[in-house]
Amino acid sequence: MADTAQRERPSFGRLAVASGVGSSLELYDFLIYGTASALVFGRLFFPQSEPWTGTLLAFSTFAVGFLLRPIGSIIFGHFGDRIGRRRMLVISLSLMGVSTALMGLLPTYAAVGLAAPLLLLALRMVHGLSVGGEAAGATLLAVEHAPEGRRGLYGSLVTIGSPLGSFLANGAFALVLLLPDAELYDWGWRIPFLAGITVVLVGLYARRNIAETPEFERVATAKRTERAPLVTVLREHKRLVLLTAGVNLGFNAFIFIVVAFLLSYGSQVVGLNRSTLLYGTMAGSVVQAVGILFFCHLTDRIGRKPVLIAGAIFCTLWGFPLFALVDSASPALAVLGIMLAFGGSAAIFGPMLAYFAELFGPELRYTGVGFGYQIGAVLGGGLSPLIANTLVTAAGGGSWLVATYMSVAGLISLLCLLGLPETVRR
């Protein structure tokens, strides 16, 4: 009787918390680090550099976290495809939360010298490994529990966590930016990192007793689990991995320029108030959350590819209007550009993970989805703030090269989508 109860499908609300909290924490952690990189880490951990160079070095440690993501996806995907989704998700969430909280306790360069950036780098590596197992696992938890014909909507439970995490991260920094600069650089920057532990506790509670997914149970019962999932994925589905990586590359390049790079560019180059940019990102996060629900529901009705392709076209085209609005130095126009960037990109981001899950069989799904998705995240999101900083320097402070980079990345997403099949009625 207990076994039967455990295998009952969790409620929509329970799945929303269990799946969405992890992605909320993932983006919360990465955005408070990205925000801190743009605003304070250059001064606190790389003080011997010029301000812009210090920001560049801080973004370099930001990129290192992304570089560890594919390795994390291999490790978590291997065990997620062999022993189950739920246990891996508990481990990944715990590691993310602990590494984030420890960042808030780090001594600065003024206190311990070179050890400070090295410790920061080590925690970024642990965090990157744990994030590598989160997105795919949370997606499978939601999608493999979904009723027939509602995988797109259930997949939104994961992706909608990202704008919620973005809202919380920027809200946290908007509050600490109200502090005088002396207090902000002394202790205020630590608060958002330490506050992340509350999200961990909520997530662990939600995932504690949730049932394993029915699809994995069928694979395990039939003894169809793979001994080496990554080997099989690369041997039989290399093309799928490359194309899914390309889809995510364009989106990640676009969104991390919006959420991370624009904070430093808008404040240091254009001269906009830092709080204005944070409030714009918070408003954009709300718009993106609504957009994700709408677009994911739409994919259940008309198919995944039309919606995803529309989102890729938007990411290809919006870079130039976005920077024109930001470069105007008008707070209202800059906020409008950021909000539209978030809303339009929801069309590709919202359905992406559910679509990827449908491309792979359940015995390889954790590894296939995770590896392709994280490779795209590395090449897109992990490197985009660093590349954008370099391009601005090369253009003498101008933004046209960054906008061109966003367009090229969006075009990669579009071309990769055209090479993938529709899945909604397969």
Side-chain angles (χ1 to χ4, degrees), residues 158-181:
V158 180
T159 50
I160 202 172
S162 290
L164 295 178
S166 173
F167 183 89
L168 292 173
N170 286 287
F173 258 99
L175 290 176
V176 299
L177 283 175
L178 298 175
L179 295 169
D181 277 359

Side-chain angles (χ1 to χ4, degrees), residues 162-293:
S162 290
L164 295 178
S166 173
F167 183 89
L168 292 173
N170 286 287
F173 258 99
L175 290 176
V176 299
L177 283 175
L178 298 175
L179 295 169
D181 277 359
E183 295 181 19
L184 169 65
Y185 286 102
D186 184 26
W187 55 267
W189 66 272
R190 300 180 184 276
I191 294 174
F193 289 91
L194 296 173
I197 201 69
T198 60
V199 184
V200 176
L201 296 176
V202 172
L204 289 176
Y205 179 79
R207 291 177 177 179
R208 186 172 50 118
N209 293 319
I210 203 164
E212 184 54 82
T213 70
E215 290 195 50
F216 178 78
E217 287 192 336
R218 285 194 287 271
V219 169
T221 301
K223 300 187 185 306
R224 290 195 292 115
T225 56
E226 293 279 341
R227 288 184 65 87
L230 180 66
V231 174
T232 306
V233 165
L234 294 180
R235 184 178 64 239
E236 299 179 6
H237 303 290
K238 186 185 301 181
R239 180 175 177 274
L240 278 183
V241 170
L242 292 174
L243 290 176
T244 54
V247 172
N248 196 30
L249 183 156
F251 166 73
N252 261 262
F254 179 92
I255 201 63
F256 275 97
I257 285 176
V258 175
V259 300
F261 171 75
L262 276 183
L263 286 174
S264 57
Y265 175 80
S267 60
Q268 296 181 28
V269 177
V270 180
L272 289 165
N273 187 280
R274 292 179 298 183
S275 296
T276 297
L277 296 166
L278 288 172
Y279 294 144
T281 302
M282 291 172 65
S285 299
V286 175
V287 173
Q288 189 180 54
V290 175
I292 284 172
L293 285 174

Side-chain angles (χ1 to χ4, degrees), residues 382-406:
L383 298 177
S384 61
L386 190 62
I387 291 172
N389 272 44
T390 305
L391 291 175
V392 165
T393 303
S399 59
W400 68 273
L401 281 177
V402 181
T404 303
Y405 167 64
M406 294 171 75

Side-chain angles (χ1 to χ4, degrees), residues 328-339:
S328 72
S330 164
L333 291 179
V335 169
L336 175 64
I338 292 170
M339 290 175 64

